[in-house]
Amino acid sequence: MAIRSRLVLWSSLPVLLAVFPVTRWFLLQWFCPLTLRIHYQASIWEEWSPSAKDKTSEAMRLDIPTVNVQEFSSSHALLEHLNEMYGPSWRHKPLLLKHMWTKDQLQQSNRNLSLQGLLQMNDFKIPYFSDASQKLWTPDAYGTVQQIVTNMTFGEPHKIGSQLLVEQHPSWIAQIAPNELVTTLFGNYFTPEAVQKRWWRPALTTVPVFVAHTQTSSFTALHCEPIRNVAVQLHGQKQWTLVEPRYWKQLQPTVAPDGRAYVASMANAIDAPHYNVVTQAGDALWVPTWTWHRVDYTTTATTDDESEDGIAIAGSLFHFRFYDFVTQNPLFAVVLFPAMLLELIGYNTQ
């Protein structure tokens, strides 16, 4: 009798689990092909929508905490201000750091990650998005940096989003952000040594460079990733839309269509409290682990002469912390664990 009871219990457990929408969503991510997954997820998204909206009481558009880096005498003074103003847990929320670089610093002639520097890279081939005005998750073309960026200057809707540049030239990480500042604020993870893979350990820091034209409606669709990100604008400007991880049910999430370690949103509109932020040359945006973000390469009113060329160049300091990966969103962590392992060892990167 006892054995029969156990068999009944175990055989009914999958059915009982499947009753819950979160469990059904989880099982779909693991065991269902993409085309079927999108179809069956729709009913789950509909179930989540009313309950998720009921829990949303905050204003839909949020004000992002903002500081002007140049107003502080040192990075330690800035850190002290952030702790006093926003509390010791300020890193759990997005933060805009205005003027991390000054205009004079960005115009130094020895910068490789400038418009002129990129236009000289005639022997460096990378994957890129041929038409970033479409919702593409994976690069679909291949060419030299020089040719891709030249085409952008003539209005082509290409987009570069590649970590290969800094992987090949680790010292260029110093051109993304001032090391002393980001080390003081976010930890000692952003050195040339940190981006170099070793046979005994993966690189927990990666530094993708993003380039696109701001007058071609290019964009990066809404998604979230298991990494912390210091996104630094080096040239031109971009518009960001950020949503905190807790609103994930309102964003119609699905595991990355291309098999990489991120969660994509299939929502046509952002029906959740969110931040709208414009990063201009020299600014940096702190994006905590699992924070949803969409990036639009659009031009807004500005007096900055460099925006006339229409090119936006940015670099992101990605860092993976296992503690944040697990604690900030345990469900996503379990779903993405295999893909995360593959990326850490260098497979399926771009």
Side-chain angles (χ1 to χ4, degrees), residues 28-137:
L28 284 173
Q29 309 311 305
W30 273 79
F31 301 113
C32 196
L34 177 62
T35 53
L36 293 177
R37 187 200 315 160
I38 297 297
H39 174 73
Y40 288 117
Q41 281 180 142
S43 62
I44 300 176
W45 294 334
E46 289 179 5
E47 290 181 59
W48 278 341
S49 183
S51 60
K53 288 180 181 178
D54 290 343
K55 296 178 182 178
T56 303
S57 59
E58 297 92 339
M60 294 297 284
R61 183 166 295 186
L62 306 172
D63 294 326
I64 189 168
T66 304
V67 294
N68 186 338
V69 175
Q70 300 303 317
E71 292 179 353
F72 296 88
S73 59
S74 68
S75 57
H76 291 282
L78 173 56
L79 177 60
E80 186 176 328
H81 169 79
L82 291 171
N83 287 330
E84 291 178 357
M85 181 66 66
Y86 303 111
S89 61
W90 61 266
R91 295 179 187 85
H92 294 167
K93 300 274 190 177
L95 171 71
L96 179 61
L97 296 162
K98 296 290 293 181
H99 307 302
M100 176 180 279
W101 291 112
T102 65
K103 187 174 181 178
D104 289 341
Q105 289 172 324
L106 291 177
Q107 291 180 343
Q108 292 174 352
S109 59
N110 61 345
R111 281 186 168 268
N112 304 96
L113 300 177
S114 64
L115 181 57
Q116 293 305 316
L118 295 175
L119 287 171
Q120 294 175 16
M121 298 182 190
N122 57 4
D123 58 351
F124 201 124
K125 290 188 174 183
I126 58 172
Y128 69 98
F129 300 84
S130 62
D131 186 359
S133 65
Q134 306 297 316
K135 193 173 185 178
L136 300 175
W137 298 104

